[in-house]
Amino acid sequence: MVRQGPPQPAPPPKNPPLKDRKDYKLIGKPMPRQDTPLKTNGAAIFGLDKKLPGMLYAMVERNPRFLGKVKSFDDTATKAIPGVKQVFTVKRTVFANLQEGVAVVADSLWAALQGRKVLKVEWDDSGFEHLDTEQLFARMREDLNKPALSDRTGGNFEAAFQKADKKIEAVYELPYEAHACMEPLNCIAHVHDNMIEVWGPIQGPDWVQSDLSERMGVPMENVIVNMTFLGGGFGRKAFLDYPHEAVLISKEVKAPVQVVWTREDDMTQGPFRPGAVYGCKGGLSKDGNILAFQTKTATQNMNHENPGADLSSYNGDTLDGFLRPYFESIPHYSFADIPTVSPIPVMWWRSVYASTNGFAYESFIDELAHAAGKDPLDFRKQHLGDERYQALIDQLIELSGWKSRGKNEGWGVAITECFSSIVGEVVKVSHRPDGKIKIDKVIALMDCGWYVNPDIIRAQVEGSIVMALGAAIKHETHFKDGMAVEKNLDTYKMPRIGDIPEIEVHIVDNQEKAGGVGEPGLPPLAPALCNAIFDLTGKRIRKLPFLLEEV
């Protein structure tokens, strides 16, 4: 008797019919977030809420000049504070730099905080520059005159620019910015039995796991990263320094420790969004098309943060924010950068380099449109031949009522692209009765391709616009004698609810591949706003931030 095996399944169909998008019952429909009740009733566990049995608390006095060393410290008064357990130096890795501080470990957060207040530390701040903001930007402006590192070129910009019918030049400046998350940095670490466990607001758990495994010599499978709610991240909580610092402290005291950063720690230690200066040149042909387009960027390159970094490597993010079809319509172009060197630590900030690139590029495109005597949206449309971009512009014209704008209104537009999504924004401004500028409305159109929950997309775009507005008209980080000046929200002014105009968010429906939604809504706001102010007043704003009441 021949024993038969189980019946074989039928082969899968080669071309199965797919459900039509309109027939989905969940995907593409607005759905309530499952974490909303937790965040409104206080049940959500953020990093600062997490507690472990036997946990100690640590505050760290860190050098305000970033690269300085601990020369000595006097902890006599600190150890007299009830609850203080230990005081010792600690080094956390910021890129390849070791940034030093003195940790105060106690049995309560209050004791650690009070102990740090009376700690006396003498710093060795020799061997590196102590720069002011004015010096940083003077250096960047000077750097624009140096030979640049080419990222992408096409045609012959210099020859075409000289032959252009009209030539336009402009310089744009953007400030250093803090992340200013509502929940300052914090992290719990417990090092024991060749194991590392961390808990906290962490954006990149896989990065943290890999980094701690390598630095501490612990097998990857023995490093456990537990994520809490973030309380805001914007790239800062994807960095590796604060978990590393917490792990070193836990290892030293042989107990679970929660390291808490104050608002002042969080605002002054960075890393910051780099300030940037852009030199732009453009030439128009007789028919009003862009013949030649050049940008040179002077800024700190995040890839150059490590000591001894190769400064001959160009910044691979110089194209972030720029619309790719322009490369098909502009025959002569050049994108290049000059790496500015500074001891100020810099890193990602929401939308990374697109947050600064977008302001320069889309402001300059607008300047070229006006030099050509053309409507800013029509000008963009004639240079963006791709059907996807054409459709976005047509929809933006319709949604905003662009063709019906009035004489006493200022309308501005900007379209940027990053993280595989395209966002167009129209800003409307007008004069208040006292003659000052007011922002009336922002209309945003997000093309992120195939999407799941439109409510989350709208929320992310709204948040991006609010954050971009703050960076355009409210806040920046200054430096004095090598130290950050703005230490809290009393001087680092955030937008208040009364500053926020009406925001209307729309989403393009198409079958394109899914792109990001958390960051692409930020870059278009500042150029669209400044383009609208130009439309109303004739004044070009090329430096951020600016004060609306002073325009």
Side-chain angles (χ1 to χ4, degrees):
M1 179 177 179
V2 178
R3 189 182 299 273
Q4 294 184 343
Q8 296 299 310
K14 292 183 178 180
N15 296 297
L18 301 179
K19 183 186 290 187
D20 195 278
R21 182 91 180 245
K22 65 180 176 57
D23 296 325
Y24 288 145
K25 292 182 171 57
L26 297 177
I27 293 176
K29 306 295 191 296
M31 300 291 291
R33 289 179 61 117
Q34 298 301 299
D35 58 358
T36 299
L38 301 177
K39 291 179 178 178
T40 53
N41 66 20
I45 301 298
F46 290 84
L48 288 172
D49 299 317
K50 183 67 181 177
K51 300 291 180 280
L52 296 179
M55 187 177 78
L56 300 176
Y57 297 83
M59 303 287 293
V60 180
E61 183 72 4
R62 303 175 183 88
N63 192 308
R65 289 196 178 92
F66 316 113
L67 298 183
K69 309 299 182 184
V70 177
K71 183 182 293 184
S72 64
F73 66 88
D74 180 353
D75 61 1
T76 305
T78 300
K79 287 186 172 178
I81 299 293
V84 170
K85 301 287 189 181
Q86 294 187 49
V87 183
F88 52 88
T89 58
V90 65
K91 300 177 182 180
R92 80 186 197 282
T93 303
V94 178
F95 296 99
N97 293 304
L98 288 175
Q99 297 198 2
E100 297 192 6
V102 180
V104 177
V105 182
D107 59 11
S108 72
L109 180 58
W110 179 253
L113 180 59
Q114 296 307 306
R116 191 179 75 162
K117 284 182 179 179
V118 295
L119 179 69
K120 297 177 182 178
V121 182
E122 185 179 359
W123 302 105
D124 177 3
D125 289 335
S126 61
F128 62 95
E129 297 176 299
H130 303 171
L131 297 174
D132 295 347
T133 297
E134 294 77 13
Q135 293 171 307
L136 284 163
F137 279 89
R139 178 171 295 178
M140 284 184 265
R141 287 189 287 269
E142 291 170 4
D143 283 345
L144 286 182
N145 298 317
K146 298 177 180 178
L149 305 172
S150 178
D151 185 343
R152 182 165 175 172
T153 60
N156 187 329
F157 169 80
E158 292 296 342
F161 182 71
Q162 294 305 318
K163 296 178 182 178
D165 188 60
K166 289 185 179 180
K167 301 180 182 65
I168 307 294
E169 297 187 35
V171 174
Y172 303 91
E173 295 187 13
L174 297 101
Y176 287 80
E177 297 280 8
H179 293 81
C181 305
M182 288 299 98
E183 181 188 25
L185 290 171
N186 61 91
C187 187
I188 296 172
H190 189 195
V191 180
H192 62 97
D193 304 320
N194 201 34
M195 293 277 297
I196 296 174
E197 295 183 74
V198 296
W199 294 258
I202 293 169
Q203 284 182 260
D206 51 339
W207 292 356
V208 170
Q209 182 188 43
S210 176
D211 182 72
L212 291 177
S213 172
E214 181 178 350
R215 292 191 189 282
M216 306 303 293
V218 174
M220 184 86 76
E221 61 271 19
N222 288 3
V223 180
I224 301 171
V225 180
N226 302 280
M227 297 173 65
T228 64
F229 284 112
L230 285 177
F234 315 124
R236 178 59 181 96
K237 290 173 182 169
F239 206 42
L240 307 170
D241 63 325
Y242 65 105
H244 178 226
E245 182 182 62
V247 165
L248 291 175
I249 294 173
S250 173
K251 183 179 179 180
E252 177 71 21
V253 301
K254 299 178 175 58
V257 178
Q258 183 178 56
V259 182
V260 176
W261 295 47
T262 63
R263 172 70 60 198
E264 289 79 6
D265 296 333
D266 197 84
M267 295 287 288
T268 59
Q269 283 293 306
F272 305 90
R273 184 192 80 172
V277 177
Y278 294 80
C280 297
K281 293 183 180 181
L284 297 169
S285 60
K286 290 183 179 180
D287 57 2
N289 289 324
I290 302 175
L291 176 66
F293 188 99
Q294 181 193 69
T295 69
K296 291 174 69 176
T297 308
T299 187
Q300 289 183 244
N301 185 345
M302 300 167 204
N303 295 329
H304 295 158
E305 287 294 276
N306 293 331
D310 180 10
L311 299 182
S312 66
S313 60
Y314 64 81
N315 186 341
D317 297 310
T318 55
L319 302 179
D320 284 5
F322 196 67
L323 302 180
R324 299 311 163 104
Y326 280 131
F327 292 120
E328 302 300 323
S329 63
I330 301 174
H332 306 278
Y333 56 83
S334 172
F335 288 79
D337 78 287
I338 304 93
T340 297
V341 178
S342 158
I344 306 299
V346 300
M347 66 171 296
W348 320 294
W349 194 83
R350 194 172 190 172
S351 75
V352 197
Y353 280 104
S355 76
T356 53
N357 293 350
F359 174 66
Y361 299 166
E362 277 297 281
S363 293
F364 194 59
I365 289 287
D366 212 70
E367 296 204 39
L368 289 169
H370 284 279
K374 296 188 177 183
D375 175 274
L377 264 176
D378 290 343
F379 185 76
R380 287 168 171 82
K381 189 173 182 180
Q382 78 185 43
H383 288 90
L384 298 169
D386 187 284
E387 291 183 4
R388 184 177 182 182
Y389 298 78
Q390 293 278 316
L392 182 137
I393 292 174
D394 288 341
Q395 193 172 345
L396 192 59
I397 289 172
E398 181 181 352
L399 291 169
S400 65
W402 181 267
K403 297 298 183 181
S404 62
R405 56 193 190 277
K407 292 183 178 179
N408 296 320
E409 302 171 319
W411 291 52
V413 65
I415 306 171
T416 60
E417 177 177 1
C418 61
F419 297 95
S420 302
S421 291
I422 313 158
V423 180
E425 293 177 6
V426 169
V427 175
K428 302 179 183 181
V429 301
S430 63
H431 283 117
R432 302 184 319 204
D434 63 2
K436 304 298 183 181
I437 299 290
K438 67 171 181 174
I439 305 172
D440 298 310
K441 190 173 185 179
V442 179
I443 299 103
L445 180 59
M446 160 73 83
D447 180 356
C448 58
W450 206 90
Y451 62 87
V452 176
N453 189 338
D455 273 3
I456 291 179
I457 295 171
R458 292 189 180 95
Q460 287 293 325
V461 175
E462 289 169 356
S464 294
I465 288 170
V466 171
M467 191 168 178
L469 182 64
I473 67 172
K474 288 289 182 182
H475 50 69
E476 65 178 305
T477 295
H478 296 87
F479 299 94
K480 186 69 175 177
D481 195 24
M483 297 178 286
V485 174
E486 287 76 17
K487 297 182 178 181
N488 210 315
L489 301 181
D490 59 334
T491 52
Y492 193 86
K493 300 288 187 180
M494 304 294 286
R496 307 295 289 270
I497 193 168
D499 299 312
I500 308 305
E502 179 184 356
I503 300 173
E504 187 178 293
V505 179
H506 301 270
I507 306 167
V508 174
D509 280 308
N510 58 33
Q511 297 299 315
E512 300 287 345
K513 292 181 179 178
V517 300
E519 305 183 80
L522 189 145
L525 186 280
L529 171 60
C530 292
N531 293 340
I533 290 172
F534 172 81
D535 187 47
L536 180 68
T537 67
K539 180 178 180 179
R540 278 287 176 199
I541 296 172
R542 300 190 179 104
K543 183 178 180 179
L544 300 181
F546 65 95
L547 298 176
L548 271 178
E549 55 268 25
E550 294 182 1
V551 175

